[in-house]
Amino acid sequence: MPADVVAIAQSLLRCPSVTPAEGGALAYVAEVLSRAGFTVERPVFSEPGHADVENLYARIGSGGPHLVFAGHTDVVPPGDESRWTYPPFGGALADGVLYGRGAVDMKGAVACALAAALDHLAANGGRPKGTLSFLLTGDEEGVAVNGTVKLLKWAAERGETFDHCILGEPTNPDALGDMIKIGRRGSQNGTLVVTGTPGHVAYPHLADNPVRHVVRMIAALLAEPLDAGTDHFDPSNLEFTSIDVGNKTVNVIPAEARARFNIRFNDLHTQATLRDLIETRATAAAQGARFRVDWEPSNADAFLTAPGPFVTLVGDAITSVTGRAAKLSTSGGTSDARFIKNYCPVVEFGLVNASMHGIDERVPVADLLALTAVYREIFSRYFG
Ligand SMILES: [Zn+2]
């Protein structure tokens, strides 16, 4: 009899695990995996100024290949609970739909991976032909300082090596099987700071207005594309998010103008080459005006898991269950895959993302069953 993915998902949804609270979620996962024969460890990570966070690493089997399923059991806050049709931590099942915070992001997918693992082990004498592991954090939705980064490092220090990773974040826009994420864009924040010479608006020749310069520089930076995109990435995008002068007067030319921006960039750039490109273009547009760019530290580089046998295996498993040819995409925001990619190739496939982080976050039972079947298919092809 296959593992009961709905019961597993309900048990997880009933744990109030809003970051950084563990809420019983990892304890439940530990119990399920221990019973199935996994060796389970639950490292707790600390960082001054942040709450301690519990994490989980569980493995079964020995030798290669080693497939790791990565994910998180923490969730974002439910918001106004009175607006939910069913309580956000109740795990209610109504008309074939399971409701609760984390239903799609991503306790639902964790439940599917657990059920698929139990099924795979039951069908194969209790052990994979290789190693199967779970790397789950309780710190993904928050500042994420005590989560995947430290967990990967912790595992590496113990000699764990991964051959491939499935990250179960919700990836499908409309229907299960739509989309696999095989990479992510990088993200870089910066502030363009232009310094002028303050003065009286009636005597502009005695001043140097930084507003004129910042407007010209913004226009120039927006006018020229950063690149034309690649086979797997959209063109990189520069977006100004705020222009700030803070001038309370009507008759004073200000001393400084600031423009904040974010760049989502593809793998044609590194952070260093991107910064150079922006500063070169800004210098040209400045026409001698004094400026600097303050760059914020970023841990989000662009990366691509190049299509190859592993991506094909995952795609074929999805098609065999859903009948859909999943699009290989690098769209959307960042994810923990940007950290995992430093250890092994990673692809992301999970549930439909439409209701994530919203009121009445929910998942059809049909999707849970289908995603469980997809993961089961991935395990059996991978360890075949
Ligand atoms: Zn998530």
Side-chain angles (χ1 to χ4, degrees):
M1 209 173 78
D4 187 346
V5 65
V6 175
I8 295 172
Q10 282 179 307
S11 298
L12 287 172
L13 289 173
R14 287 172 183 151
C15 300
S17 55
V18 175
T19 325
E22 186 271 334
L26 290 174
Y28 173 75
V29 172
E31 183 192 313
V32 169
L33 290 176
S34 307
R35 227 184 296 136
F38 281 76
T39 305
V40 183
E41 307 202 52
R42 293 178 55 193
V44 177
F45 298 129
S46 306
E47 187 77 28
H50 296 277
D52 289 359
V53 179
E54 293 190 37
N55 298 272
L56 179 146
Y57 179 67
R59 64 168 284 166
I60 191 167
S62 58
H66 185 165
L67 179 63
V68 55
F69 178 90
H72 62 91
T73 53
D74 61 322
V75 294
V76 296
D80 182 355
E81 297 199 22
S82 69
R83 292 177 57 207
W84 284 68
T85 310
Y86 302 96
F89 297 106
L93 183 59
D95 297 326
V97 176
L98 192 55
Y99 288 79
R101 172 58 80 231
V104 294
D105 185 14
M106 58 168 279
K107 289 175 172 176
V110 170
C112 294
L114 291 172
L118 300 184
D119 291 347
H120 181 79
L121 296 176
N124 291 276
R127 283 174 80 81
K129 291 198 186 74
T131 303
L132 174 62
S133 62
F134 281 81
L135 187 120
L136 300 178
T137 178
D139 193 13
E140 198 274 342
E141 299 286 12
V143 287
V145 296
N146 287 318
T148 298
V149 173
K150 288 186 179 177
L151 193 53
L152 286 162
K153 189 161 173 282
W154 173 90
E157 282 164 3
R158 297 159 46 88
E160 295 292 326
T161 53
F162 308 115
D163 292 309
H164 299 92
C165 178
I166 303 281
L167 176 61
E169 289 289 352
T171 50
N172 302 285
D174 299 307
L176 197 81
D178 281 344
M179 189 175 280
I180 306 174
K181 299 261 167 108
I182 57 164
R184 293 278 184 163
R185 295 180 296 178
S187 177
Q188 172 72 64
N189 291 311
T191 305
L192 173 64
V193 184
V194 183
T195 311
T197 306
H200 195 295
V201 287
Y203 301 89
H205 55 289
L206 299 177
D208 178 29
N209 192 343
V211 173
R212 290 174 183 264
H213 299 310
V214 83
V215 166
R216 184 179 66 250
M217 293 171 76
I218 289 172
L221 288 169
L222 291 177
E224 201 176 346
L226 294 168
D227 55 66
T230 70
D231 284 353
H232 294 289
F233 281 95
D234 288 335
S236 301
N237 184 61
L238 165 64
E239 207 62 40
F240 280 93
T241 52
S242 189
I243 301 176
D244 304 287
V245 177
N247 190 354
K248 298 270 195 293
T249 72
V250 294
N251 57 358
V252 176
I253 289 172
E256 188 180 273
R258 297 171 158 257
R260 282 168 41 213
F261 61 89
N262 173 268
I263 303 173
R264 294 297 162 121
F265 60 95
N266 59 37
D267 64 350
L268 293 171
H269 309 269
T270 64
Q271 290 179 25
T273 63
L274 189 68
R275 291 174 182 203
D276 280 352
L277 178 65
I278 296 298
E279 289 178 7
T280 301
R281 289 184 180 183
T283 301
Q287 299 174 7
R290 284 171 294 158
F291 80 95
R292 67 175 194 274
V293 181
D294 291 343
W295 296 102
E296 286 178 26
S298 167
N299 59 13
D301 281 308
F303 77 93
L304 177 74
T305 299
F310 181 61
V311 173
T312 301
L313 182 152
V314 173
D316 288 350
I318 292 166
T319 303
S320 77
V321 172
T322 67
R324 293 190 177 82
K327 182 172 188 259
L328 305 181
S329 170
T330 56
S331 60
T334 62
S335 77
D336 275 357
R338 71 186 190 272
F339 307 127
I340 299 168
K341 68 102 167 54
N342 296 329
Y343 294 82
C344 70
V346 52
V347 304
E348 301 175 60
F349 186 71
L351 290 161
V352 175
N353 55 27
S355 67
M356 65 194 271
H357 294 201
I359 299 290
D360 279 347
E361 184 174 344
R362 61 197 177 276
V363 60
V365 168
D367 280 6
L368 291 176
L369 295 173
L371 183 59
T372 304
V374 168
Y375 288 154
R376 211 161 42 215
E377 193 63 31
I378 291 172
F379 295 160
S380 81
R381 288 168 189 243
Y382 190 84
F383 295 112

